[in-house]
């Protein structure tokens, strides 16, 4: 979609200040862990990432300040504070072109691509139950599309994913938790380089 017509399903868009706050290796690693596992305490994050709970607590407060994490309402706030990730969207193209944000945008986007490759490699290496493997998808399609056709595909796929996730969240909130586990859905649609020699 164009800047004038953004995807209606995207999470909160972040700006340069939020980008700089997130584009820190430990903060990105903490955000990735929370995204994958649902929630954690500063101590759990510290153990997983080999950091002190003081370090993770500090960085969690910075992430909270910029809207990337929040208290997890599924855990009562007692001695340990449980955190969960909050979704965001990023228009990396503009931030990559802006000299003030280019380094942070590049670091964040490289981290996203590396994390995706790591998750996919782990999925490929470890396998799962036959039922979950049968429900999984790792596929790609290449086609000759116009800009408008590509925009249509992106919007249609995003609408389906958004609707399915909203329905699943509602069922979970209604107490239907049996058989539920965290699932990662990746959707990429990108133009391939134009062939120079035809």
């Amino acid at each position: 979609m164009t800047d004038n017509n953004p995807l209606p399903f995207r999470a909160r868009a972040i700006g340069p200040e939020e980008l700089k706050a997130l584009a820190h290796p430990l903060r990105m690693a903490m955000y990735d862990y929370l995204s994958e596992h649902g929630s954690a305490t500063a101590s759990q994050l510290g153990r997983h990432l080999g950091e002190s709970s003081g370090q993770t607590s500090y960085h969690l407060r910075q992430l909270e300040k910029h809207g990337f994490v929040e208290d997890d309402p599924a855990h009562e706030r007692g001695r340990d504070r449980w955190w969960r990730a909050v979704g965001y969207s990023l228009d990396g193209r503009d931030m990559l072109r802006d000299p003030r944000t280019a380094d942070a945008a590049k670091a964040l986007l490289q981290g996203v691509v590396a994390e995706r490759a790591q998750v996919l490699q782990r999925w490929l290496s470890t396998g799962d139950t036959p039922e979950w493997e049968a429900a999984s998808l790792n596929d790609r399609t290449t086609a000759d599309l116009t800009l408008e056709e590509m925009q249509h595909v992106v919007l249609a796929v995003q609408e389906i994913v958004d609707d399915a996730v909203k329905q699943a969240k509602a069922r979970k909130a209604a107490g239907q938790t049996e058989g539920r586990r965290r699932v990662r859905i990746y959707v990429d649609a990108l133009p391939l380089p134009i062939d120079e020699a035809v």
Side-chain angles (χ1 to χ4, degrees), residues 83-152:
W83 299 90
R84 70 177 181 183
V86 176
Y88 69 91
S89 66
L90 167 73
D91 188 349
R93 298 162 301 196
D94 287 343
M95 291 190 179
L96 283 168
R97 287 191 280 266
D98 186 338
R100 297 169 298 163
T101 56
D103 289 342
K106 186 174 182 182
L108 181 63
L109 293 171
Q110 285 176 334
V112 168
V113 170
E115 184 267 346
R116 182 175 294 182
Q118 182 183 42
V119 170
L120 289 170
Q121 185 60 48
R122 187 176 63 224
W123 170 77
L124 179 65
S125 300
T126 59
D128 209 303
T129 66
E131 298 81 13
W132 281 95
E133 284 183 357
S136 300
L137 173 68
N138 184 356
D139 193 13
R140 75 176 193 187
T141 301
T142 305
D144 293 327
L145 303 177
T146 66
L147 176 61
E148 292 76 19
E149 289 167 341
M150 182 174 164
Q151 290 173 333
H152 174 75

